[in-house]
Amino acid sequence: MKIPVLNISQFKESASLNDVYINSFSNHIQLNKHLINKPHSHNFYLCVLFSEGTGTHEIDFNSYDINPGKVFLLKPGQTHFWKFETPPEGYIFFHSQEFYELKFLEHKLQTFPFFYSNQNPPVLELTVDKRIQLQLKFQDVYTEYLQTNLLRELKIVNSINHIYIELTRAYTVNTNLEKLNSPHYANILEKLETLINSHFYNEKLPKFYADKLHITTKHLNRVVKETIDKTTSQLISERIILEAKRLIVHSKDNLANIAYTLQFSDYAYFSKFFKSKTGMTPLDFRKKYF
């Protein structure tokens, strides 16, 4: 059983703009509880600002607290699941890559640090003043979405861009901006992560990816080390482990079949690899969730 991948059209409650959806969070979960009451992924970019409520948000097996002022930003493909202790409120929007990038031809979504790399946390916590300021911007874009004014789509995409800029400033308040703004290394890392996502099932060695990028393995390791302080091998292993966790928890396949799907020579080797990276066997990990 594959993890459900939801698309924007499933969330539409009425005729509206293509490739974008905006709602208050309480309306969203009420209208779409049949879609979001179990772990799922999306084929779009998602942003949520919480103004009320508590609980946990699990994103690719990392658990984050939900509380007023938290913002979550997800890229396509990330598996997530909400669990609320008190009623949530706030705003949510999501959109396709094309909706944003066709309007900003010189600017890519991956330029924003929260969308730049899977290594960057998909969450930030706003100060009270910043939350109040951004809440108004979310309210404005939601109001615009509900109306049918002239140049509505252009205003919405500009408002979303403004929100992303403000979130980037909050996200990077304690970040070395010189390191963040290394476009050449950022571009290599982005291409590397894309290649790993496409080939990790059958290509598990750094040399394959270095060759695809037309650079040496040594230079590729330097790029990864300077941008996210890891090695290329670590990135490949982390992607394999993430997929293993998704399959172990969200599919009904037996563990030997999962090892075969991930192209390990046998289950024993897969189990040893998984335990070396997570501290537990695949069976123990599955038991945690059932």
Side-chain angles (χ1 to χ4, degrees):
M1 183 184 76
K2 291 186 176 179
I3 301 161
V5 179
L6 306 183
N7 61 69
I8 291 174
S9 63
Q10 289 175 268
F11 293 89
K12 303 293 188 184
E13 54 180 310
S14 61
S16 55
L17 294 173
N18 292 326
D19 294 330
V20 65
Y21 167 95
I22 305 169
N23 212 335
S24 72
F25 196 82
S26 56
N27 284 344
H28 173 71
I29 59 172
Q30 182 61 34
L31 287 167
N32 301 294
K33 54 189 173 186
H34 63 293
L35 294 174
I36 60 176
N37 61 0
K38 57 186 178 181
H40 59 277
S41 67
H42 301 287
N43 65 357
F44 46 79
Y45 290 81
L46 178 152
C47 178
V48 178
L49 166 66
F50 283 103
S51 57
E52 296 177 24
T54 56
T56 56
H57 187 189
E58 186 175 285
I59 305 172
D60 282 337
F61 305 98
N62 294 310
S63 188
Y64 304 93
D65 290 336
I66 294 169
N67 50 266
K70 280 286 178 66
V71 179
F72 293 94
L73 299 120
L74 274 70
K75 299 194 295 184
Q78 291 186 284
T79 300
H80 75 130
F81 180 66
W82 312 99
K83 188 181 292 182
F84 297 104
E85 297 164 2
T86 59
E89 189 51 275
Y91 294 97
I92 182 169
F93 65 75
F94 35 83
H95 57 82
S96 69
Q97 184 168 344
E98 292 76 14
F99 177 78
Y100 179 89
E101 293 186 359
L102 286 177
K103 309 298 185 301
F104 295 100
L105 297 179
E106 300 302 317
H107 193 269
K108 303 297 183 186
L109 283 161
Q110 283 82 358
T111 307
F112 296 116
F114 33 79
F115 295 145
Y116 157 57
S117 166
N118 290 332
Q119 306 299 313
N120 290 350
V123 60
L124 70 152
E125 184 158 11
L126 302 175
T127 63
V128 174
D129 288 346
K130 196 69 175 176
R131 171 165 65 90
I132 293 169
Q133 176 195 348
L134 274 168
Q135 232 171 279
L136 294 173
K137 296 186 185 302
F138 275 82
Q139 173 65 57
D140 286 346
V141 74
Y142 178 42
T143 301
E144 186 67 29
Y145 180 76
L146 295 176
Q147 298 172 353
T148 55
N149 293 326
L150 188 65
L151 300 177
R152 169 177 172 237
E153 183 174 352
L154 184 59
K155 182 170 180 181
I156 287 173
V157 76
N158 275 297
S159 296
I160 287 174
N161 188 53
H162 194 178
I163 287 169
Y164 282 157
I165 290 169
E166 292 301 315
L167 290 175
T168 295
R169 290 174 178 175
Y171 193 93
T172 59
V173 69
N174 295 314
T175 301
N176 181 338
L177 291 179
E178 284 187 12
K179 188 173 181 180
L180 182 70
N181 291 327
S182 173
H184 179 59
Y185 276 22
N187 187 44
I188 293 174
L189 181 66
E190 179 189 340
K191 288 179 179 177
L192 173 62
E193 289 193 333
T194 300
L195 284 168
I196 290 173
N197 279 332
S198 299
H199 298 285
F200 71 91
Y201 279 97
N202 49 13
E203 298 293 346
K204 297 177 169 58
L205 297 177
K207 186 178 185 307
F208 170 84
Y209 299 99
D211 289 346
K212 283 283 187 182
L213 293 165
H214 308 292
I215 58 178
T216 65
T217 304
K218 184 177 180 181
H219 183 53
L220 181 58
N221 273 322
R222 184 186 305 118
V223 170
V224 178
K225 180 71 175 175
E226 291 194 16
T227 51
I228 54 175
D229 198 26
K230 293 186 178 182
T231 67
T232 310
S233 292
Q234 277 179 284
L235 274 187
I236 299 165
S237 295
E238 287 174 0
R239 186 63 186 88
I240 296 166
I241 290 296
L242 174 58
E243 194 68 16
K245 287 178 176 179
R246 288 173 173 173
L247 292 170
I248 289 166
V249 173
H250 301 315
S251 80
K252 294 180 180 178
D253 275 356
N254 65 52
L255 298 175
N257 280 347
I258 290 172
Y260 176 78
T261 298
L262 293 169
Q263 301 199 17
F264 283 83
S265 55
D266 55 46
Y267 174 71
Y269 177 39
F270 168 62
S271 182
K272 182 178 179 182
F273 175 81
F274 189 89
K275 187 171 183 180
S276 72
K277 304 299 181 184
T278 67
M280 62 181 73
T281 66
L283 181 59
D284 289 337
F285 187 78
R286 177 168 272 179
K287 285 177 179 176
K288 258 183 70 177
Y289 286 84
F290 295 100

